[in-house]
Amino acid sequence: DRTERRDHAERAAPTLAVFKLASCDGCQLTLLDCEDELLALTGTVRVAHFLEASSAVRPGPYDLALVEGSITTPADAERIRAIRASARHLVTIGACATAGGIQALRDFADVDEFRRTVYARPDYIETLATSTPVSAHVDVDFELRGCPIDRRQLLEVLTAFLAGRKPDVPNHSVCFA
Ligand code: SF4
């Protein structure tokens, strides 16, 4: 019947997961800002994991994982390997995920000194001495640059991966306009 057909269509739809590492959430907000377009995509994609927008957390595997943020802790270095293993395609979004972000300024400083200065209990803080892009840890299928990312480019990337084609987005970080 109609309910069964709808359930089957939902199960057959490609799954999208969104993950956050060290970041300000601005790139995920760009995704939320695509609400109308995402609603239009709802029939063709199933949002399986997106903590910023929903409490629904379904386990992988996922067809497409979007990752915001850089790797700054040992736990996130582990986590990105698990995310990679669960995703058919992995796309990084924003300068944090593609280049390490503003938090990569730590790469040129003494992180232990920051830890002692900022936190009352520095021994509670587990952090790496560097902030690195996701691609330094796992294979990435596409990097969407920007801080924050561009809404139209994000929609192009989503549409392209769901259609099984290469995104028509310039893969450089310099604005030539
Ligand atoms: Fe925020 Fe910029 Fe990082 Fe996106 S790239 S999460 S907007 S700091």
Side-chain angles (χ1 to χ4, degrees):
D1 67 356
R2 193 184 295 177
T3 311
E4 265 179 22
R5 281 203 303 276
R6 194 195 61 213
D7 288 350
H8 178 74
E10 273 187 9
R11 279 197 301 275
T15 46
L16 170 71
V18 184
F19 296 96
K20 170 192 160 62
L21 303 169
S23 62
C24 83
D25 284 27
C27 290
Q28 287 186 87
L29 289 179
T30 305
L31 180 58
L32 287 173
D33 190 36
C34 300
E35 195 177 0
D36 289 345
E37 292 87 348
L38 285 176
L39 284 177
L41 277 175
T42 302
T44 51
V45 68
R46 193 155 56 100
V47 179
H49 185 289
F50 188 6
L51 289 179
E52 188 89 355
S54 153
S55 56
V57 178
R58 298 195 188 92
Y62 310 109
D63 291 294
L64 175 60
L66 299 180
V67 179
E68 175 196 82
S70 64
I71 308 292
T72 58
T73 66
D76 280 349
E78 281 288 312
R79 203 169 146 228
I80 194 62
R81 283 194 283 275
I83 292 170
R84 173 70 272 187
S86 73
R88 201 163 135 237
H89 298 293
L90 190 155
V91 172
T92 47
I93 54 171
C96 294
T98 61
I102 193 77
Q103 54 273 33
L105 286 172
R106 68 167 64 193
D107 299 2
F108 309 100
D110 181 350
V111 168
D112 284 335
E113 190 187 333
F114 286 160
R115 191 162 32 189
R116 285 192 303 272
T117 308
V118 174
Y119 298 100
R121 291 296 308 266
D123 49 317
Y124 282 11
I125 306 300
E126 276 213 354
T127 190
L128 296 170
T130 54
S131 170
T132 41
V134 170
S135 62
H137 298 260
V138 295
D139 286 341
V140 169
D141 295 293
F142 191 82
E143 293 184 307
L144 181 59
R145 299 170 198 275
C147 180
I149 50 171
D150 178 82
R151 187 174 182 281
R152 280 168 310 169
Q153 290 187 348
L154 175 61
L155 284 169
E156 163 59 14
V157 168
L158 281 175
T159 311
F161 272 95
L162 292 172
R165 64 172 171 79
K166 196 170 175 289
D168 184 15
V169 173
N171 203 10
H172 56 68
S173 53
V174 179
C175 175
F176 294 109

